[in-house]
Amino acid sequence: MIKNEMGKEIIIDRNDYIGEGSYGRVYRLDRDTCYKEFLITPESNNLSNLKKLKSWSYIPSLYTIKDLCFDRDRFCGYTMQYYESVPVSTLSKRYIYENYLKLVELIKKISDERYFLVDLHSGNMIMTKDGIVLIDCDDMDQARRDCTKELIFRMNLDNLGDSIGYYISSYALKNRLDMARADEMYRALSNGDIDSFNTDEPLFKTYRYY
């Protein structure tokens, strides 16, 4: 029986499956909540990382951890806010510009705590109507003592631009949009050229490329 920290049972409908990664499987619990179940025994730092992430839940660009869950005394997963994505083709360049800057602030805070975001990639971000949200950040590594905060920040920041660019490119490929335009945006984001997105121009035109 899976319970949260307060001893309340967490009812999981195994048919309400969202998806899975290398280490966990995610289920929808209700309109606003989903549950990540670890497929392998989590490392000890996963629990401490999640407690840290839960304390940062007030940050809009970071996903909200709700409950840490246990099967008897064994830590087995956690509940989190469910986020609905919006089509990239409906977004403007300014959306990317404004949210990139918000994510930079988040990454600066995480880097100042001396964490590497090991699992920062396009599959762990969601573009919602309210902004871009980083999810599934429990795989964080505490940096070695000889790593400066500036180095940690730079490495995390490099992953950020690359991840957003890949997210846009993957959407364009799946939906047969302009790949030349997607590649241009990907290269700009990978190089940190965020000022080119400071415009109300749509990311893509509405027609498809076949």
Side-chain angles (χ1 to χ4, degrees):
M1 182 182 295
I2 298 173
K3 297 182 178 181
N4 66 13
E5 296 161 287
M6 303 299 293
K8 180 181 178 181
E9 183 179 1
I10 304 297
I11 306 298
I12 303 166
D13 182 354
R14 301 287 174 178
N15 295 316
D16 212 346
Y17 168 79
I18 295 176
E20 68 180 75
S22 301
Y23 303 106
R25 184 177 291 128
V26 180
Y27 299 92
R28 186 83 172 266
L29 297 184
D30 56 41
R31 178 181 176 181
D32 300 316
T33 311
C34 52
Y35 169 73
K36 178 178 178 178
E37 175 182 63
F38 289 110
L39 297 176
I40 60 174
T41 302
E43 297 180 8
S44 58
N45 68 328
N46 283 104
L47 182 56
S48 60
N49 286 348
L50 283 162
K51 288 179 178 178
K52 174 68 74 173
L53 289 166
K54 189 176 180 181
S55 72
W56 293 340
S57 291
Y58 63 90
I59 304 174
S61 301
L62 182 66
Y63 71 147
T64 297
I65 305 294
K66 294 188 175 183
D67 291 308
L68 305 179
C69 300
F70 299 83
D71 183 355
R72 296 179 181 172
D73 293 329
R74 181 179 66 86
F75 173 52
C76 60
Y78 60 93
T79 63
M80 55 188 166
Q81 180 72 28
Y82 175 80
Y83 299 93
E84 193 77 48
S85 64
V86 295
V88 171
S89 55
T90 65
L91 303 175
S92 69
K93 284 190 171 183
R94 192 174 305 281
Y95 173 96
I96 301 297
Y97 176 79
E98 292 176 349
N99 281 281
Y100 180 93
L101 297 180
K102 291 176 183 177
L103 288 167
V104 168
E105 291 181 15
L106 169 62
I107 284 176
K108 179 67 166 59
K109 178 175 180 60
I110 292 172
S111 300
D112 283 346
E113 297 278 343
R114 305 188 58 77
Y115 285 107
F116 286 117
L117 284 171
V118 178
D119 222 12
L120 175 55
H121 58 77
S122 60
N124 282 341
M125 58 176 54
I126 300 176
M127 295 192 182
T128 76
K129 63 180 180 61
D130 298 316
I132 301 176
V133 180
L134 292 188
I135 64 169
D136 211 15
C137 299
D138 53 275
D139 191 8
M140 300 190 300
D141 275 353
Q142 194 87 44
R144 294 180 346 204
R145 290 182 180 274
D146 59 344
C147 290
T148 65
K149 291 181 181 179
E150 291 74 19
L151 175 61
I152 299 167
F153 175 64
R154 190 162 65 248
M155 293 177 70
N156 282 329
L157 191 61
D158 285 346
N159 284 343
L160 174 65
D162 192 64
S163 298
I164 296 176
Y166 191 80
Y167 189 112
I168 293 171
S169 296
S170 297
Y171 180 90
L173 182 61
K174 291 176 184 176
N175 292 275
R176 295 178 290 184
L177 298 173
D178 187 347
M179 286 306 299
R181 184 176 177 87
D183 183 60
E184 179 185 340
M185 289 187 284
Y186 175 82
R187 283 186 281 107
L189 286 162
S190 296
N191 293 327
D193 180 18
I194 192 61
D195 287 340
S196 63
F197 288 82
N198 191 10
T199 169
D200 290 322
E201 179 185 1
L203 287 176
F204 293 100
K205 297 179 181 178
T206 55
Y207 59 85
R208 292 184 174 185
Y209 284 67
Y210 292 87

